[in-house]
Amino acid sequence: MDSTLGKDQSWIPKVIKKKTCSTFLEDTTTQSKQPLCQCGNPKACHNSVATEDNFGAAIVSRWNTAEHTTEEPTDAFGDIEFFGKGRIHGKFVRLSSDTDPAIVYTLITQFWGIPPPNLVVSVVGGEGSLKMKTWLKDILRQGLVKAAQSTGAWIVTSGLQVGIGKYVGQAVRDHAMANTRSTAKVVAMGIAPWGIVYKKDRLVNPKGSFPVQYTVGSDKEADHALDDNYSAFLLVDDGTNNRMGGEIQFQARLEEHILTQRTGIGGRGSIEIPVLCLLIKGGPNMLERIYKATMNNIPWLILAGSGGMADILAEVMVKSFTAETLKEEVEGRIRKHFPSEDVHSLVELVEKIFENKHLVTVYNADLDGTEEFDTMILKALFKACKKQSTNAEAYRDELKLAVAWSRVDLAKSQLFNGEILWKSCDLEDPMTAALVNNKPEFVKLFIDNGINMVEYLSYRRLEELYSSVAGNSLLHTFLQKKKEERRSLQGKEATLLPDSASIDGSHRSYTLLEVMKVLKDLMGDFNEPMYGQLFKQTDSRKNELLLKPQELPYQTRKCASPWTDLFIWGVLQSRNEMATYFWEMGGESVSSGLVACRILREMAHHQPEAEGAQVMKEMAAKFAQLSLDVFNQCYRHNEKRAFCLLVRQCPLWGRATCLQLATEADAWNFLAHDGVQALLNQIWWGEMDRNTETWKLCLAFFCPPFIYSKLIKFSNSTEEQITEKTVSDLDSIDGDLLIQPSEVSWMFSSWFEMGRVMLCLDFMVFSFRLVHIFAVNKQLGPKIIIVGKMMKDVFFFLFFLGVWLMAYGVATQGLLYHTETRASWIFRRVFYRPYLQIFGQIPLDEIDAARFHSKCSTGNLTTGLEDELSPCTNAYANWLVILLLTIFLLVANILLVNLLIAMFSYTFNKVQEKSDIYWKFQRYNLIVEYHKRPALAPPFIILSHIHIFIKRNIRKVPTVKGTLFRMDLSEAVTNRLMTWEAVQKENYLVSRNRIKRESNMEQLKRTAQKVDSVLSYITDIREHDRRLRVLEKQVDYCTEALKWLAESLLQSDLIRNNRAPPTFTGPSSKKDSKP
């Protein structure tokens, strides 16, 4: 709907009308000072046409709204603001009782901005000065209003501060105050007669009120004032004044129209909106309304114990009666509670209602409890829609309704109890709704009951799922950004894909191209992009993938790995339970968990909200732990297969290995696992004997020729392998080789000084590299990591120190040497001298006026002499210089230095707690770097490059180091390895579930379930006991009747028999008759 139409409501008087009395018929039954019409309005309120005497009015004795009213444009509509309540503006409109319900429904949902309901609950019964019991108030607040909020229902009452409407408004208010964090608003709608509304004249404005100030008084008539807890008011005008009941027919027609509408659960618009009527108390006039509603298949929920007609119907519906006993029972109860009413007609209505017993459900708070009121509503709808067919198509709407209300328990007990034959195609739409609305319990239920995920998930449906993401989510931001980039790359003149409506009804749609680019940004460039095989590279110059309309054949194809696709979809939306379930159902568990960890940690960096970022970090830690636990299970079962699992290239994740994924995901605990460290030890030692003494290693380190002797033992090593290993082991030594400065100076004498400087810097760098090598050691490694972490603290310290140095240095330079023109000396006195003052080198001869020397330049000497002497120190404000020096040393030496020490202490304690994990993670990076770098150091590195070129291109010797961290297995071996991993994952899940079942919490849950089962059995026993009592009464009645019949026959002359009739002999009498 156009936004301008939503704001401009000037069309309302043209479409919606009001009713006015067109014929004055005097009411002779009332006694008043001025004549009243039978419509309730005084004669003065009628126009001249209505009050003129005519023959038609003379022969009519009873006023009728259909014949004696005319319709005119409505003069009351717009927004209403309750004075002093601080409420958001509500909506209201005065409308004729004959108004088309379709127009009203469109006005509510499209122009007033109230979302379409998933359910309409019409609360009726309590009228006038109703005194609500405490338990009834709890049911309205904790049951009805809570159920309406969770299901997205409309609550319809009179909307007035009288009767049941008053208490429903209070329940809405109390629930809103108790649930301040909830964003879902309860929609309460009032449908009341226009003629009884308090101060309705204030609402009249032919042009509309936006808003109108509505004040509620304290007089008696204020009972019929509008309640400020309602969202909208439909004020039905049937032409009467101060008369009740004019809205009943319109409300019934509106409910019938809503029944034909379809709600957008899951974006499909495939569920008809159910309507339920709730009866609380009620009088005899409610029977006619109940009967007409049941004829239109509208279910009713009767609140037993609320009094009035509700109790009578509750007794009738619960107990079992025959036709005769039903009539007697109902007649007796009606005479008792409503003696002045027409009992015969009321009994007939009850009998007709009893014929549609399946549409009436009785709610007993003592047996059902206030917490399960939404369950009772859904059961009432299920009961009303109960069919005898076993075809699943007849129950689709009920299933979708259960999904919308998140009532998986009722779906299991009512729809998946084995009586209905569900096919995979029948569960596809409910499955989509469950996925979009994040209902993992229903996803599990549908999968357990036979939905085929391979047939269900196509690439087109996967794109629909990505198009259904929430507009305020981080994933939506990423996808929208990539879509805009695609548009800009294709240009304004290029043909784009049509933006078809997405699954949630919006006009945005995303393709797997955007998903692929988002995953590429989140995963990094270390692997091939996911879904890259679906698209063609059409622009080689820009190296970008562009999507053309003719390149969409993949959409009709089924997903090759549906569990993995849904797993990534759940991870990108941070759906913990959903993603965990798909991880359990999918394959490649170790690598999948590490991928999820990488994606979630990267998304946490882009999440602007701290709470959302924390949720993502917790999910990342969870999946990293799951991968670690599964790998631990694999390692305990078979070490060699576990090693293959770590270095195997995963085609599903761009041919990346588990070690690469763990490194990119910063899964330190995974890399610190004993199995990973055992593989690293095997790679690090290679063919060398691990039991080699340390002194032998040190000797070979400082004297490489000993490697060729028998000092170092190798196992199963060929001459070529030994040679390669020797070259590799030379990396630590050759990395520290130095270039002799004498050779360089003789060759390039003009560059000697520069070469010496570069050589000195190179020596520093290579010395630091020597320290880096010792990170492999278990004792030195954590300390080196601590030093590296502390270097970051030093940079923060230097930032603060630099600001303070510059502030102090510039101030002292300006006070002491304001005539200084030499740039080098200015820089030295501003930064260098204050830095040395921190360590105690304070030149008092240049700062303290009492110790100034006389050799200085005053500016009057020759130019050459001024260059040799420094300018004279300015003695003015010398006390300020001393004060600044004192403050500078106080801040720098005490405050900043102690801050640095505190930062060092915090870093040390933080790293020391996990020093082993830090060291193992650093050790992996060092070993990878060791195998990637050439053996020799510059400038001899050219020899290593020549050796590798000859070995790979001329001798065609394959690399050995490349297979240490990456292994490409055949398809058959990969399938066996993945099957083995899946078996180990199942073993892990079984053991985890067993531990979970043995926990105290699960035992308490099982005990609570058993108690609930016992209570249900007790309830059934009570029901059987009640039925037995009814049967006993009927048997007693039959016994008395037969007894009377036998006595009558004995006293009559119809039967001649000298023998007495038989008597009943029970078990006790037989026992007593024995000798």
Side-chain angles (χ1 to χ4, degrees), residues 726-737:
T726 305
V727 174
S728 301
D729 289 339
L730 290 175
D731 183 31
S732 301
I733 302 176
D734 296 333
D736 299 321
L737 292 178

Side-chain angles (χ1 to χ4, degrees), residues 702-719:
F702 291 102
C703 189
F706 279 103
I707 297 176
Y708 297 95
S709 65
K710 295 183 179 181
L711 186 67
I712 306 296
K713 295 182 180 180
F714 295 90
S715 58
N716 300 326
S717 58
T718 61
E719 182 178 356

Side-chain angles (χ1 to χ4, degrees), residues 352-616:
K352 293 178 181 179
I353 296 172
F354 191 79
E355 294 176 359
N356 295 320
K357 188 177 180 180
H358 65 284
L359 294 174
V360 181
T361 303
V362 178
Y363 175 72
N364 193 323
D366 295 334
L367 299 178
D368 300 314
T370 58
E371 297 294 333
E372 301 296 331
F373 193 79
D374 56 343
T375 305
M376 291 303 304
I377 293 177
L378 194 57
K379 284 183 177 180
L381 297 175
F382 280 173
K383 181 180 177 182
C385 301
K386 194 69 176 179
K387 308 173 183 68
Q388 300 300 325
S389 174
T390 59
N391 190 3
E393 295 182 357
Y395 298 90
R396 284 183 178 179
D397 283 352
E398 287 75 14
L399 178 57
K400 294 175 184 177
L401 193 64
V403 173
W405 289 14
S406 302
R407 295 314 305 260
V408 67
D409 53 342
L410 292 181
K412 290 180 180 179
S413 61
Q414 302 288 337
L415 302 176
F416 292 94
N417 51 11
E419 299 178 359
I420 305 173
L421 303 178
W422 293 98
K423 299 179 182 178
S424 179
C425 58
D426 298 326
L427 300 176
E428 289 185 355
D429 286 345
M431 181 69 172
T432 303
L435 288 171
V436 171
N437 295 289
N438 194 17
K439 307 292 178 62
E441 294 296 332
F442 277 97
V443 173
K444 298 177 184 178
L445 179 64
F446 297 151
I447 292 174
D448 293 341
N449 284 273
I451 187 172
N452 190 344
M453 295 302 296
V454 177
E455 295 295 329
Y456 165 76
L457 192 65
S458 62
Y459 287 115
R460 182 185 301 275
R461 181 162 287 172
L462 184 61
E463 289 180 345
E464 291 179 352
L465 292 176
Y466 276 106
S467 300
S468 68
V469 297
N472 58 350
S473 63
L474 186 61
L475 177 59
H476 168 72
T477 305
F478 288 159
L479 293 174
Q480 190 65 26
K481 180 180 179 181
K482 296 304 177 182
K483 186 174 182 179
E484 292 175 357
E485 291 178 358
R486 173 167 63 91
R487 289 179 180 272
S488 61
L489 288 174
Q490 289 180 329
K492 296 182 180 179
E493 301 297 331
T495 303
L496 296 178
L497 286 174
D499 288 340
S500 58
S502 65
I503 199 170
D504 61 348
S506 62
H507 294 284
R508 66 171 186 268
S509 62
Y510 302 117
T511 63
L512 291 181
L513 179 61
E514 286 85 17
V515 178
M516 180 195 69
K517 291 184 176 181
V518 170
L519 289 175
K520 184 177 180 181
D521 291 344
L522 296 176
M523 292 287 294
D525 297 330
F526 69 94
N527 61 343
E528 300 175 4
M530 195 174 182
Y531 304 121
Q533 70 278 6
L534 301 177
F535 305 97
K536 297 180 181 179
Q537 187 170 332
T538 59
D539 193 348
S540 58
R541 180 175 61 86
K542 294 184 178 180
N543 196 23
E544 290 287 345
L545 293 173
L546 300 181
L547 195 61
K548 302 294 184 180
Q550 64 270 20
E551 296 175 358
L552 297 176
Y554 72 90
Q555 289 186 339
T556 58
R557 290 160 48 189
K558 304 298 181 182
C559 294
S561 52
W563 298 115
T564 303
D565 295 327
L566 290 176
F567 170 69
I568 293 297
W569 175 78
V571 168
L572 289 174
Q573 296 190 82
S574 301
R575 295 183 174 180
N576 190 354
E577 188 174 356
M578 190 86 74
T580 303
Y581 177 71
F582 290 137
W583 176 84
E584 294 176 356
M585 299 297 295
E588 301 195 17
S589 306
V590 177
S591 59
S592 298
L594 294 174
V595 167
C597 179
R598 164 67 180 179
I599 292 175
L600 289 168
R601 285 183 174 169
E602 189 66 24
M603 290 179 67
H605 295 311
H606 296 85
Q607 177 60 257
E609 299 179 0
E611 185 177 356
Q614 183 63 28
V615 171
M616 292 179 182

